Amino acid sequence: MTYAIEAQPLWQPNPNTVGDTRMAMFMQAMGHGRYADLWQWSIDQPEAFWSRLWDFCGAVGDKGQTVLRDGDKMPGARWFPEARLNYAENLLQRREGEALVFWGEDQVKRRMSRAELYAEVARFQRFLVDAGVGEGDRVAGYLPNLPETLIAMLATTALGAIWSSASPDFGVQGVLDRFGQIAPKVLVCVDGYWYNGKPVDCLPKNAEVVAQMPSLVKTVVVPYLASRPALEGIAGAVHWQDIALPAPGAEVSIQRVAFDHPLFIMYSSGTTGVPKCIVHCHGGALLQHLKEHQLHSDVRPGDRLFYFTTCGWMMWNWLVSGLACGATLLLYDGSPFADQGKVLFDLAQAEKMTHFGTSAKFIDAAAKMGLTPGKTHDLSALRAVFSTGSPLSPEGFDWVYREIKQDILLASISGGTDIISCFVLGNPVLPVYRGEIQCRGLGMAVDVFDDDGKPVRSEKGELVCTKPFPVMPVGFWNDPDGAKYRAAYFERFPNVWCHGDFSELTAHDGMIIYGRSDATLNPGGVRIGTAEIYRQVEKLPEILESLVIGQDWPPGRNDDVRVVLFVKLQEGHTLDAGLIDRVKKQIRDNTTPRHVPARVVQVQDIPRTKSGKIVELAVRNVVHDRPVKNVEALANPEALAFFRSRQELAE
């Protein structure tokens, strides 16, 4: 089953202003009048494209003479092998204007100019140098989305040291599973945070983490719940505010490094084992984010860029790169549903937000809550809405254009931690079609392969990238021969990146994502994307959220599955025979009989990762009495108990 192709777009670029977009300017400068032609040139002539992109987007650094070496190897290609640059230098190059605005759920509000940000980076960097941090050392942040998180990252990466972060809702074991692998020299943590109107004390967790991480030389605690938290239980800890001020006018030390020098260590979700440590480099992250911000998102100097994210999700790294475009960052920490779901739109109105980023799940939930932000808030400055984390349903597209704004770029985007960016994303010069991601990213040779490795159109298959790109990971940490790295992406199709998304290239040359390939259902040998079922089920007003798996059936065999649907209902509703019949009818009438679940089961909660993604594979393991290897990766691991030993699944 595929979505019906929409003949009419939901949105078209304004012909009077589209020429002012950075994408239109780049197309003109490159001599291409259509995006399709520009994209084809960008993958046919990667050396010319990435070199011209460096210049057009104003990347600071020495580019060198060579753009690509061993371009036929994947992995193994070397981008800009003679270049010297620094990611942080590009984010700190401007000294005038506003750098960031921070809102906390607890009503804390702060502003910081670019000059103030620079001075704070210089202050923290001096502390790092005194602690012996240098090129290649690791600094870890166990922090909310605070200004101090950005300061610590910039101070670290400016030195050529490596930054890695996790959000403070991770438990002790989840942090040790991540940071324990990379042996950081310095840990920056917080005394606590606010969520859903409640303070959460992090000091006991911090003490446990520090006690079990022998690599640490220094630990710094950022105050958030209290002005001066008690640190007696944390070995060798110092208060953030006690870090000495450098001399007035102190400069940030910038260490220009090789293009592929490690910048960030990111982590896979870790729901099938200890998280993989994915290493991203200075040049790749910088160029890719400049491209995605300036060209695909039309972020310009003075714009006000927001993404709802924690520091454990790659969208935080993506967001903060907006400083390199001259944008002001709008940071928020807390529940996105504070003040009855209005807090993010309050921020958008008060700060004249131009780009609003969130998850597809937030959009679904806002629609269920009946929010109408276009009527309740002044969103006149808003030009773009971004959505990622899971596929945005066609109904989600409808809600954005009906309830937020009609004249707006809705950019559904998809990529991941693996590439700290996007394979497919938005485009200000192209129309938006209901249910479709607009286009493949420039320089990204994205295709869809069938099981035999052949390209297909308007059919479902595997999302692949057939040529190297600069933001491919430089490798995994503690994977000296690259075996784990190759196994993760290159085993399915030799010399081709296989991303693990079940996808379709449409007649508009857009993309539909149907879910993760490893969660794809296969009843009777027919592949079904989970998003197809979620889209139908969650139209019913009684259903708040759902999760679907394939259960091996009959038990003890693995040659066939039956579809099992779990539903979390709105308060005040119960799953009775009538609602089950309506669920099945909704699915049958709008998909195929193969999609109809054999069992519909009510649960109290749906387990999800820290970044909000539901975990079909973990639930499938619980249903089949298999271990879930890393429950620390889950935001609500207690929810797994609702799926264990269900009598409904034994018959």
Side-chain angles (χ1 to χ4, degrees), residues 452-599:
D452 297 323
K454 305 296 184 186
V456 292
R457 294 291 179 274
S458 300
E459 293 180 26
K460 297 173 194 168
E462 294 287 343
L463 189 152
V464 299
C465 195
T466 60
K467 293 184 178 182
F469 48 96
V471 78
M472 288 170 61
V474 294
F476 292 168
W477 198 257
N478 295 328
D479 182 28
D481 62 356
K484 293 178 183 177
Y485 179 35
R486 289 191 298 274
Y489 310 112
F490 302 102
E491 279 191 345
R492 178 79 186 274
F493 305 113
N495 215 41
V496 169
W497 177 293
C498 185
H499 194 56
D501 277 345
F502 195 43
S503 311
E504 176 189 342
L505 269 172
T506 73
H508 304 125
D509 210 25
M511 183 74 78
I512 297 170
I513 307 289
Y514 292 100
R516 293 293 295 169
S517 298
D518 52 12
T520 298
L521 309 172
N522 202 21
V526 177
R527 294 185 79 188
I528 295 172
T530 55
E532 300 175 69
I533 294 177
Y534 298 144
R535 177 197 174 192
Q536 299 305 327
V537 173
E538 291 172 19
K539 287 180 181 179
L540 299 175
E542 298 91 339
I543 294 177
L544 190 62
E545 201 170 14
S546 60
L547 183 148
V548 66
I549 66 164
Q551 181 191 15
D552 294 343
W553 198 262
R557 289 171 52 181
N558 58 8
D559 57 347
D560 202 1
V561 300
R562 65 177 183 178
V563 177
V564 175
L565 175 69
F566 299 96
V567 293
K568 177 182 178 181
L569 301 185
Q570 298 272 19
E571 194 171 342
H573 292 277
T574 56
L575 186 69
D576 56 20
L579 182 54
I580 290 174
D581 287 344
R582 286 173 50 224
V583 166
K584 291 184 175 183
K585 184 177 189 303
Q586 175 74 21
I587 295 171
R588 181 182 293 106
D589 289 353
N590 293 284
T591 57
T592 74
R594 291 268 188 199
H595 290 68
V596 178
R599 293 288 183 271

Side-chain angles (χ1 to χ4, degrees), residues 9 11-13 18 23 27 34-36 409 425-433 438-440 508-509:
W11 176 83
Q12 290 266 32
V18 69
M23 179 67 85
M27 289 171 62
R34 298 191 318 137
Y35 179 77
L409 172 66
L425 69 172
N427 192 326
V429 305
L430 293 179
V432 174
Y433 289 93
Q438 283 176 285
C439 68
R440 294 174 278 184
H508 304 125
D509 210 25

Side-chain angles (χ1 to χ4, degrees), residues 271 549-553 555-561 616-631 640 644-645:
T271 53
I549 66 164
Q551 181 191 15
D552 294 343
W553 198 262
R557 289 171 52 181
N558 58 8
D559 57 347
D560 202 1
V561 300
E616 293 108 334
L617 293 183
V619 168
R620 194 171 192 277
N621 283 339
V622 168
V623 166
H624 291 96
D625 294 321
R626 300 170 191 150
V628 178
K629 295 182 180 178
N630 195 353
V631 295
L640 291 174
R644 188 169 286 114
S645 303

Side-chain angles (χ1 to χ4, degrees), residues 86-414:
N86 186 284
Y87 170 86
E89 180 181 9
N90 281 266
L91 273 64
L92 290 168
Q93 62 178 306
R94 294 172 172 87
R95 304 285 182 88
E96 296 180 352
E98 196 166 42
L100 63 88
V101 177
F102 169 75
W103 280 24
E105 183 193 298
D106 62 325
Q107 305 305 310
V108 170
K109 296 180 181 179
R110 294 163 58 190
R111 315 184 86 84
M112 188 173 286
S113 70
R114 285 181 174 266
E116 290 168 335
L117 174 64
Y118 188 92
E120 281 294 294
V121 171
R123 181 171 83 98
F124 190 70
Q125 189 184 69
R126 175 179 168 178
F127 170 82
L128 292 178
V129 171
D130 289 346
V133 173
E135 191 171 317
D137 288 330
R138 277 78 63 206
V139 176
Y142 186 23
L143 293 162
N145 186 13
L146 297 172
E148 288 83 359
T149 311
L150 174 62
I151 292 163
M153 181 277 287
L154 290 169
T156 299
T157 56
L159 289 170
I162 306 169
W163 174 258
S164 191
S165 60
S167 57
D169 54 350
F170 274 99
V172 172
Q173 192 58 50
V175 175
L176 294 173
D177 285 346
R178 287 159 174 78
F179 296 161
Q181 296 187 67
I182 67 170
K185 189 172 279 189
V186 172
L187 175 70
V188 189
C189 52
V190 72
D191 66 331
Y193 61 94
W194 293 84
Y195 199 86
N196 271 340
K198 297 177 182 178
V200 181
D201 182 9
C202 291
L203 292 175
K205 290 196 300 183
N206 295 339
E208 285 190 62
V209 168
V210 171
Q212 298 183 64
M213 206 173 293
S215 63
L216 291 176
V217 174
K218 293 284 187 181
T219 298
V220 184
V221 179
V222 176
Y224 188 29
L225 294 186
S227 59
R228 193 168 182 84
L231 305 184
E232 288 76 14
I234 305 173
V238 299
H239 289 97
W240 175 275
Q241 59 267 46
D242 288 348
I243 295 172
L245 289 168
E251 292 289 311
V252 174
S253 175
I254 300 291
Q255 181 65 39
R256 288 194 175 180
V257 292
F259 188 91
D260 58 2
H261 183 79
L263 168 71
F264 297 132
I265 297 176
M266 313 291 293
Y267 303 95
S268 63
S269 60
T271 53
T272 56
V274 176
K276 298 187 291 287
C277 303
I278 304 168
V279 184
H280 289 294
C281 67
H282 278 251
L286 175 66
L287 278 193
Q288 183 80 338
H289 291 178
L290 284 173
K291 179 197 77 177
E292 294 186 347
H293 287 156
Q294 290 194 27
L295 304 187
H296 286 279
S297 306
D298 198 36
V299 176
R300 314 174 201 173
D303 279 345
R304 305 180 67 82
L305 176 64
F306 169 78
Y307 219 103
F308 176 75
T309 179
T310 72
C311 298
W313 191 20
M314 55 130 307
M315 293 312 300
W316 180 84
N317 308 72
W318 191 91
L319 166 66
V320 299
S321 293
L323 287 173
C325 300
T328 297
L329 306 181
L330 305 182
L331 309 179
Y332 173 79
D333 187 72
S335 169
F337 298 108
D339 191 22
Q340 300 174 316
K342 297 176 183 175
V343 64
L344 300 186
F345 298 107
D346 290 346
L347 176 62
Q349 173 177 290
E351 295 300 332
K352 295 181 170 52
M353 187 186 294
T354 56
H355 297 73
F356 181 107
T358 187
S359 66
K361 287 295 179 185
F362 175 83
I363 291 174
D364 291 342
K368 290 270 185 181
M369 293 170 70
L371 297 184
T372 58
K375 299 183 179 70
T376 57
H377 293 76
D378 177 2
L379 303 177
S380 55
L382 197 62
R383 301 201 313 270
V385 170
F386 305 132
S387 169
T388 193
S390 58
L392 181 62
S393 69
E395 291 73 24
F397 280 71
D398 295 340
W399 182 83
V400 169
Y401 281 105
R402 184 178 68 248
E403 303 297 355
I404 292 185
K405 199 172 184 179
Q406 290 184 338
D407 183 16
I408 201 165
L409 172 66
L410 173 54
S412 180
I413 63 180
S414 183

Side-chain angles (χ1 to χ4, degrees), residues 21-32:
T21 64
R22 294 287 289 163
M23 179 67 85
M25 294 176 186
F26 185 70
M27 289 171 62
Q28 183 177 23
M30 299 305 112
H32 293 284

